[in-house]
Amino acid sequence: MKNLKKYLDVSPEVAQALAEGKPVVALESTIISHGMPYPQNVETAMNVEKIVRENGAIPATIAVIGGKLRVGASYEEIVHLGKKGLDTTKASRRDLPVLIARGEDGATTVAATMIIAALAGIRIFATGGVGGVHRGAETTMDISADLEELAMTPVMVVCAGAKSILDLGLTLEYLETKGVPVLGYQTKELPAFYTRKSGFSVDYQVDSPYEVASIFQAKLDLDLKGGMLVTNPIPEQYAMDFEYINRSIEEAVARANQLGIKGKATTPYLLDEIKNITKGSSLEANIQLVYNNAALASKIACELSKLEQE
Ligand code: PSU
Ligand code: MN
């Protein structure tokens, strides 16, 4: 890789942890700028970092700051992105070179966070939900770049499944075609973000952080291209009513279609509209599932770092 140092800006704490083979968990920043309102976004991001530490790993929040690929963003940088909200560029794979050349800021999606994590040598990444195949993709061709990234970049993503703003069946088909393992943590059913159930099955149920780490190690050792998706259901006590949330999602999708919302604006629009339709009650569920994923990702990172030292 040419001149990586010119582009990457890794915090001293994360750099040292990586050099010593300690567990590190990457965290994305679109969830901060576009996924939640201020100030809950900043509060959640800081709590997530704390949870990662409590579970034995080092957090590395990733963003583009002044054209640099920042790994281990500071509190000030997180506040900056959180306050700037939707005015921050939502940065996926295609946006990175432009932001770098222009010296601008960007909040990284799952795809862009995976790229930057891999460049820095981080293997595990925790978030809320991933992008996927949108409903109606057979005519709109709206398929998140997150899926292509999972197909090619060697980073494990721990999430709470995907929101049913997506076509979950088509999303699973796409991941199968691209050779991405979809694991369910202590479940056979794909969780649907706000709910523990979706009506769709994962490829494999896994039951411990060690098991997940050993599957991923085999994938890395064999140099099989791409990442892996670990889907972790929202804790029971925070899960939303299946019928209620699905009705709210239907309403949000219908409104987006009426307004002709397209491209990268679609996912942020739907997230915000669902929050409004549910009068904010979806936000608490969203926050809790992210905490749950951060804890699991950290435990997996600890196991993987032990395996790597054997
Ligand atoms: N899904 C969520 N919350 C999110 C996102 C998706 O439930 O915050 C964000 C993530 O950053 C994800 C991005 O990578 O949206 C996907 O956007 P798109 O569908 O435009 O690829
Ligand atoms: Mn899209």
Side-chain angles (χ1 to χ4, degrees):
M1 196 103 29
K2 260 188 181 168
N3 274 336
L4 194 53
K5 277 202 188 118
K6 178 174 149 194
Y7 300 106
L8 260 189
D9 178 10
V10 183
S11 75
E13 187 194 23
V14 173
Q16 193 187 340
L18 289 169
E20 293 172 358
K22 288 194 179 140
V24 177
V25 173
L27 303 163
E28 63 152 309
S29 44
T30 295
I31 193 176
I32 302 173
S33 59
H34 292 66
M36 288 182 198
Y38 179 81
Q40 287 94 336
N41 54 3
V42 171
E43 204 183 292
T44 304
M46 296 320 293
N47 284 336
V48 166
E49 292 210 350
K50 192 164 146 253
I51 291 167
V52 170
R53 289 183 197 284
E54 284 165 0
N55 285 280
I58 302 292
T61 298
I62 290 178
V64 184
I65 304 285
K68 292 274 192 232
L69 307 180
R70 185 85 169 112
V71 179
S74 66
Y75 172 69
E76 288 73 24
E77 288 163 339
I78 288 173
V79 171
H80 169 69
L81 295 171
K83 283 194 173 163
K84 214 169 147 194
L86 297 178
D87 292 333
T88 315
T89 300
K90 175 180 160 189
S92 195
R93 170 176 276 266
R94 58 115 184 249
D95 306 282
L96 293 179
V98 180
L99 295 174
I100 290 169
R102 291 182 173 173
E104 289 177 6
D105 295 339
T108 51
T109 62
V110 168
T113 305
M114 287 177 74
I115 295 171
I116 299 168
L119 287 174
I122 302 173
R123 302 287 188 204
I124 300 182
F125 162 21
T127 187
V130 287
V133 181
H134 277 266
R135 298 188 193 179
E138 61 277 19
T139 51
T140 63
M141 288 181 75
D142 190 350
I143 299 173
S144 175
D146 291 354
L147 298 185
E148 287 302 319
E149 212 56 56
L150 281 160
M152 62 181 145
T153 300
V155 172
M156 176 198 309
V157 180
V158 179
C159 67
K163 286 202 174 83
S164 44
I165 57 174
L166 303 171
D167 186 318
L168 297 181
L170 291 186
T171 300
L172 288 171
E173 290 293 350
Y174 201 89
L175 289 167
E176 181 191 353
T177 301
K178 295 287 178 171
V180 179
V182 178
L183 309 182
Y185 190 70
Q186 297 177 347
T187 181
K188 287 190 168 35
E189 195 164 332
L190 178 76
F193 199 84
Y194 300 116
T195 58
R196 295 173 64 85
K197 305 230 170 270
S198 66
F200 293 93
S201 299
V202 293
D203 301 334
Y204 297 95
Q205 172 169 340
V206 287
D207 291 314
S208 70
Y210 169 80
E211 192 184 1
V212 180
S214 56
I215 292 170
F216 197 53
Q217 193 195 33
K219 195 174 197 303
L220 295 175
D221 284 349
L222 292 176
D223 243 337
L224 297 175
K225 243 172 43 157
M228 194 165 96
L229 202 58
V230 179
T231 64
N232 185 29
I234 182 172
E236 192 82 62
Q237 68 268 38
Y238 302 112
M240 296 184 74
D241 180 74
F242 194 83
E243 302 298 326
Y244 173 65
I245 191 66
N246 283 324
R247 243 183 297 121
S248 307
I249 289 172
E250 297 283 350
E251 209 178 309
V253 170
R255 226 168 267 176
N257 287 339
Q258 270 164 20
L259 293 173
I261 309 259
K262 282 201 220 32
K264 71 198 281 189
T266 304
T267 299
Y269 174 84
L270 291 172
L271 299 183
D272 187 57
E273 199 54 26
I274 293 164
K275 191 198 78 209
N276 295 337
I277 293 169
T278 62
K279 299 189 182 63
S281 72
S282 63
L283 184 59
E284 182 56 19
N286 196 344
I287 292 171
Q288 292 301 331
L289 66 84
V290 175
Y291 293 165
N292 192 43
N293 296 341
L296 177 60
S298 307
K299 290 175 191 151
I300 298 169
C302 291
E303 294 298 333
L304 189 65
S305 117
K306 275 192 249 162
L307 284 174
E308 281 169 347
Q309 272 151 35
E310 271 170 14

